[in-house]
Amino acid sequence: MMNTETKQKISGFVQLIAVILFIGTALAISIILQSNKKTIKNGQKVERVLFVEAQSFTPAPYAITLSTTGTVESRAAVDVVSQVSGRIISVNDNFYEGGHFAAGETLFQIDPRDYELTVERLEAELARAKTTLEIEQAESAAALEEWKMLNGSKVAPDLVLRKPQQKEAAANLKAAEAQLADAKLDLERTTFSLPFTGRVLSSNVSLGQFITAGQVYGSVFDTASLEIRSTIEEESLKFLHPIEDLAINVKTKHMGQDRTYSAFIKRSAASLDTQTRFAPLIFGFKDDANDLLPGTFVAVEITTAETNEVLAIPSTARQKDGRIWMVNADNTVSPLEGYTILHNNGDTLALSGITEAVHLVTSSLPGAIDGMKVDIREARK
């Protein structure tokens, strides 16, 4: 076994070797770094050159597209309310939830017999009133002849000529005519129909049921009154004029199939939404949209007429600080000036005020300054 003195000598020798190796390694690294360092002439600065993507753009006619969403609503949803009472003797097979019906189509029939009897009775009363008036008129004529025979040319009093009785008979005749017209109207109302083509939202009418006038027995809506309630950013309202130049498409899914409809702006609200600050818009359908139901979610795409001299560039060209950099002929950059952002749909910026072709940076360029050199890589289109 080695004694303590021998161990100490070996340990010291190992430490000496380690120190020599460390110093040698440091010297080698220093020599390598010095040999790889570029020689810089006195007074010369190293320029900072960034790789960027750039693309040329030319002003051209451009149609702005606005996108929004909305919900189908019915402007004319009405309750089913009978104007007469009676027992139901027939119900249209389509007068149930989801059913379609045409304008004037009978939806249900109330037993008309009581109303028919009322019409017959009032027709008899009308005939009696006519006869009474004719009798009074005849008696008045006879009284006038008798008066002339006895009194010559003297004016006969109204009572002698039975004028009050004639007025009463004429009034009774008008009342009888009105009562008969009212009874005939009630008889017509035993056949329930509506003056529009629509669909049934709900129905509580059954065969044999007794219904009461004025009570609600269902709900329907006019399919021609379907419209879309939507909203749009307030700053986009300027693109909606003139309305006749807009192309509006409505897209939705119906029964698992994609559907597209043409639409138009019917009206806009007079105030902004107090919470979202968006402007409400109401669209109408140009196409037949009878298959849609209130509550259907739709996507609305509004395309304006083309505007001349618009520069359409990718939104990536606008840096985080809001500036857009133009690449000059000597590969230096300078900020684009003299433009106005017409519209930003998230992917594309539409600029006005630029009348000539420009070469723009389309990638990120952090910390850029006017006159800075860049290395161009053409952007992939």
Side-chain angles (χ1 to χ4, degrees):
M1 295 181 64
M2 292 185 293
N3 55 30
T4 302
E5 183 178 354
T6 303
K7 289 181 179 180
Q8 289 178 349
K9 287 182 179 181
I10 294 174
S11 175
F13 180 74
V14 170
Q15 291 178 359
L16 178 62
I17 295 298
V19 171
I20 294 172
L21 289 175
F22 176 78
I23 294 174
T25 302
L27 288 173
I29 292 174
S30 176
I31 293 171
I32 292 172
L33 291 176
Q34 289 294 330
S35 64
N36 290 337
K37 184 180 294 184
K38 293 182 179 179
T39 303
I40 302 176
K41 297 181 180 179
N42 292 334
Q44 185 180 10
K45 295 182 179 179
V46 177
E47 292 188 357
R48 180 189 178 201
V49 179
L50 295 180
F51 288 99
V52 296
E53 292 184 352
Q55 186 177 340
S56 294
F57 300 93
T58 302
Y62 181 78
I64 293 173
T65 299
L66 307 173
S67 298
T68 184
T69 57
T71 304
V72 176
E73 295 182 353
S74 174
R75 183 173 47 85
V78 299
D79 292 330
V80 175
V81 179
S82 175
Q83 293 176 278
V84 294
S85 301
R87 193 168 301 281
I88 302 294
I89 60 173
S90 68
V91 180
N92 191 316
D93 291 338
N94 291 324
F95 190 56
Y96 294 100
E97 184 175 350
H100 294 261
F101 60 88
E105 182 179 358
T106 299
L107 300 181
F108 59 84
Q109 176 69 53
I110 296 173
D111 189 347
R113 289 177 294 179
D114 290 340
Y115 297 95
E116 290 171 345
L117 291 174
T118 300
V119 169
E120 291 179 5
R121 177 174 57 81
L122 291 176
E123 285 176 340
E125 291 184 4
L126 176 62
R128 184 184 302 113
K130 286 181 178 179
T131 301
T132 300
L133 178 59
E134 290 172 356
I135 292 173
E136 289 295 338
Q137 290 172 340
E139 289 184 355
S140 175
L144 179 59
E145 290 298 326
E146 184 179 353
W147 174 268
K148 287 180 179 180
M149 290 175 60
L150 298 175
N151 299 286
S153 60
K154 290 179 64 176
V155 177
D158 289 348
L159 286 176
V160 172
L161 298 179
R162 301 185 63 83
K163 287 187 177 181
Q165 291 85 341
Q166 288 186 70
K167 289 182 179 180
E168 181 183 13
N172 290 337
L173 176 60
K174 285 188 176 181
E177 290 174 341
Q179 289 175 351
L180 178 59
D182 188 51
K184 287 182 176 179
L185 188 58
D186 283 344
L187 178 59
E188 291 178 3
R189 288 169 175 167
T190 60
T191 301
F192 187 90
S193 63
L194 291 168
F196 54 80
T197 298
R199 294 193 69 179
V200 181
L201 293 173
S202 64
S203 172
N204 298 319
V205 172
S206 301
L207 186 65
Q209 178 183 359
F210 186 91
I211 64 174
T212 304
Q215 297 296 313
V216 177
Y217 292 96
S219 178
V220 299
F221 69 90
D222 182 357
T223 53
S225 72
L226 289 178
E227 57 189 25
I228 300 166
R229 180 171 293 275
S230 180
T231 58
I232 196 169
E233 294 177 344
E234 187 271 338
E235 64 181 16
S236 297
L237 290 175
K238 61 187 176 184
F239 301 118
L240 303 183
H241 300 282
I243 290 178
E244 56 270 15
D245 291 341
L246 302 177
I248 304 174
N249 288 323
V250 176
K251 298 180 180 180
T252 187
K253 278 188 175 294
H254 180 69
M255 299 180 67
Q257 295 183 345
D258 293 331
R259 297 288 184 88
T260 301
Y261 304 88
S262 295
F264 63 96
I265 295 178
K266 294 181 70 173
R267 60 189 183 276
S268 60
S271 62
L272 300 180
D273 187 282
T274 56
Q275 295 182 341
T276 64
R277 314 308 301 173
F278 276 35
L281 274 182
I282 308 299
F283 299 92
F285 289 96
K286 289 183 179 180
D287 304 326
D288 182 4
N290 292 348
D291 52 345
L292 294 181
L293 292 175
T296 301
F297 181 81
V298 298
V300 182
E301 189 175 87
I302 307 169
T303 303
T304 67
E306 288 188 341
T307 302
N308 292 326
E309 299 293 327
V310 174
L311 200 68
I313 65 174
S315 57
T316 54
R318 192 183 188 195
Q319 304 299 316
K320 290 184 178 180
D321 60 4
R323 289 189 291 184
I324 299 173
W325 291 98
M326 180 173 59
V327 181
N328 303 311
D330 59 354
N331 279 9
T332 60
V333 295
S334 57
L336 184 67
E337 297 177 345
Y339 67 87
T340 300
I341 298 178
L342 284 178
H343 183 60
N344 180 5
N345 66 5
D347 296 323
T348 303
L349 288 174
L351 311 181
S352 65
I354 306 299
T355 58
E356 297 180 352
V358 289
H359 203 54
L360 301 179
V361 175
T362 57
S363 61
S364 177
L365 188 57
I369 58 174
D370 191 2
M372 186 178 73
K373 280 272 190 181
V374 292
D375 193 346
I376 304 299
R377 292 178 179 174
E378 290 300 318
R380 289 174 292 180
K381 298 182 180 180

